[in-house]
Amino acid sequence: MSDCGRRIEICLWLPQTDEILPVDSTTAWNFQQGSRLQWVPGRVNCIAFNEIERGRAVSVIRNIATGQRHVLPAPIYAVSPDGKMSIAPNFTTLAHAWKAYGYPPLTGQPRCTDDRLDGLWKLQLDSGEMSLFISTKRVTGLEPVSGSKEVVHFLCHPLFSPDGSKVAFLHRFFSADGGSFTRLIVTDREANDLQVLAREKVSHFDWLDNDTVLVWARFTGAGFAQVRSRGALKSPLMKPLVRVARGFKGRWKKKLLAEAYYSIPVRNAQARYRFGWPKLEEDGHPMVARSHDWIVTDCYADKNGILPLILYHAKRNDRVDVGRFRHRPRSMDSDVKCDLHPRWNRSENLIAVDTCESGMRQVRILDVHDILGD
């Protein structure tokens, strides 16, 4: 983790010729999500990424053909499909509350302690106008949650729906029992209406379509969620039960806790159903294709350090493991661990993954057109 904060190069990689061309640099990055480097929709040859200037997180839009460089006054995270706006968390808050997803150089800056002035931020990419998209105070007021003054609430992982009309995001805090408590929330592009889709244990998600979210979560009842949110599992009376529950492994644990992928309609969260079970029985990082019916995902490393890369066809309930990768060396530190984080290219016929093999962290590209077919 001590490497985070060192200046790194922003590069253009040409896999066909194996060329790597440095085009810029940044100190705003972490092991899990880099600098949020991405192509800007609707702008030819333009990339966007985060940087730190004068102790603040900002973003840079760079034209790799002309070299033109434009600095915006706030960082980016999720860019809308039309390329006009970004929704981003407060990276200074994350630097204090969730270091693996914040930028370590920002830990020297004071954290905002007023939840009315913190939350997700909206940035107009053309004008550079920034405003508070939704406050942490508004989100914590949706339902009763931990009242402890020591608990830091934060909003993170915003994601636009495919048509850009909605934004899904996570509300998270770490309860007194040491575990994370999370809620998955969806709102419209103007943040007028908020819908809580899942709570307590909520992990990775993506949009199945404009009105449905795919998410790894568990549904054990609102009562258990409230117990967890207040940190009651830390109680001496509860510790024996917690030890027994944590002793369950594999599929039995998932059955007991109703933990799985779920398809959840935004307009009727109670109409959720377990998705892909039992073909998809492990938490991973799903990315839904828009031009065909395959979903790419992965799993965490098993006891031997093996990570599978998975394609799943929902209509046929068909799972194909297209790769297996072994972590060497394997880090047990979740802040620097290397998950596959599979993602489609824009044509959705190639998959890029992150690997850590033979002591080298790399990006690999897999051609899966033979599985996708026509």
Side-chain angles (χ1 to χ4, degrees):
M1 279 295 288
S2 61
D3 284 343
C4 292
R6 296 183 182 182
R7 184 159 293 278
I8 60 171
E9 291 178 323
I10 300 294
C11 298
L12 183 68
W13 177 31
L14 308 178
Q16 298 88 346
T17 60
D18 209 28
E19 291 179 273
I20 298 178
L21 309 175
V23 295
D24 216 306
S25 65
T26 183
T27 58
W29 63 278
N30 55 52
F31 279 109
Q32 297 305 308
Q33 297 187 328
S35 61
R36 295 303 296 174
L37 175 63
Q38 55 194 287
W39 297 101
V40 182
R43 300 193 189 190
V44 179
N45 294 325
C46 284
I47 58 173
F49 59 92
N50 290 333
E51 170 65 299
I52 295 175
E53 290 188 353
R54 295 184 291 277
R56 292 186 58 207
V58 298
S59 54
V60 176
I61 296 181
R62 178 110 190 196
N63 187 309
I64 60 172
T66 66
Q68 183 180 12
R69 189 179 194 269
H70 182 52
V71 179
L72 296 173
I76 60 161
Y77 189 92
V79 176
S80 60
D82 59 13
K84 293 184 177 181
M85 63 182 284
S86 163
I87 303 294
N90 185 331
F91 282 99
T92 300
T93 298
L94 292 184
H96 288 275
W98 200 16
K99 297 182 185 300
Y101 290 84
Y103 299 141
L106 297 177
T107 55
Q109 302 299 316
R111 179 182 67 82
C112 179
T113 56
D114 189 342
D115 284 350
R116 296 170 299 178
L117 305 176
D118 198 8
L120 295 178
W121 290 83
K122 177 168 61 175
L123 175 67
Q124 301 295 339
L125 299 190
D126 288 332
S127 66
E129 178 186 357
M130 58 180 292
S131 59
L132 188 62
F133 178 66
I134 187 167
S135 71
T136 307
K137 179 70 173 178
R138 181 182 172 193
V139 171
T140 56
L142 287 174
E143 298 172 341
V145 290
S146 174
S148 171
K149 294 182 179 180
E150 290 75 28
V151 170
V152 178
H153 297 262
F154 54 92
L155 311 183
C156 58
H157 287 64
L159 182 65
F160 282 95
S161 59
D163 66 358
S165 65
K166 303 179 185 68
V167 179
F169 64 93
L170 300 181
H171 162 221
R172 178 165 285 179
F173 64 91
F174 294 97
S175 57
D177 63 14
S180 63
F181 185 95
T182 309
R183 294 190 296 182
L184 172 65
I185 299 171
V186 169
T187 187
D188 57 275
R189 191 167 170 133
E190 302 302 323
N192 293 318
D193 184 38
L194 301 179
Q195 301 288 334
V196 179
L197 301 190
R199 56 184 61 77
E200 195 263 315
K201 169 65 181 290
V202 181
S203 188
H204 307 98
F205 65 93
D206 193 12
W207 290 89
L208 278 171
D209 55 45
N210 293 314
D211 299 301
T212 315
V213 176
L214 172 67
V215 59
W216 182 272
R218 69 180 174 214
F219 292 89
T220 51
F224 182 74
Q226 290 302 317
V227 168
R228 283 248 17 246
S229 74
R230 293 184 170 86
L233 295 187
K234 194 178 181 181
S235 160
L237 296 176
M238 296 295 293
K239 283 184 177 180
L241 296 176
V242 172
R243 282 196 296 268
V244 171
R246 288 176 175 168
F248 283 93
K249 301 295 182 183
R251 190 173 294 181
W252 284 106
K253 180 178 181 179
K254 296 179 185 66
K255 285 185 176 180
L256 175 68
L257 297 176
E259 192 170 322
Y261 277 116
Y262 287 87
S263 171
I264 308 180
V266 172
R267 294 185 177 88
N268 183 11
Q270 297 305 313
R272 66 180 181 265
Y273 67 87
R274 190 173 283 187
F275 183 93
W277 185 270
K279 295 289 183 68
L280 298 179
E281 61 177 4
E282 297 286 344
D283 187 10
H285 302 85
M287 186 173 182
V288 179
R290 307 300 165 191
S291 60
H292 52 73
D293 294 323
W294 290 93
I295 296 169
V296 64
T297 187
D298 61 347
C299 299
Y300 290 118
D302 64 16
K303 62 181 181 181
N304 297 315
I306 302 297
L307 301 98
L309 178 65
I310 301 163
L311 281 175
Y312 178 72
H313 195 290
K315 292 182 179 178
R316 301 203 302 250
N317 190 27
D318 187 14
R319 168 176 167 165
V320 180
D321 288 18
V322 296
R324 290 168 58 84
F325 301 89
R326 182 187 296 275
H327 272 1
R328 287 183 178 175
R330 182 183 180 193
S331 172
M332 299 306 293
D333 185 341
S334 62
D335 287 347
V336 298
K337 66 183 175 66
C338 179
D339 301 321
L340 293 181
H341 289 144
R343 55 266 183 202
W344 294 107
N345 65 339
R346 295 291 171 92
S347 299
E348 298 183 326
N349 59 358
L350 303 175
I351 300 169
V353 296
D354 301 326
T355 66
C356 185
E357 296 183 298
S358 302
M360 178 68 70
R361 184 156 176 160
Q362 299 174 317
V363 174
R364 293 173 179 250
I365 293 178
L366 289 85
D367 186 338
V368 293
H369 79 275
D370 57 329
I371 298 174
L372 303 181
D374 292 337

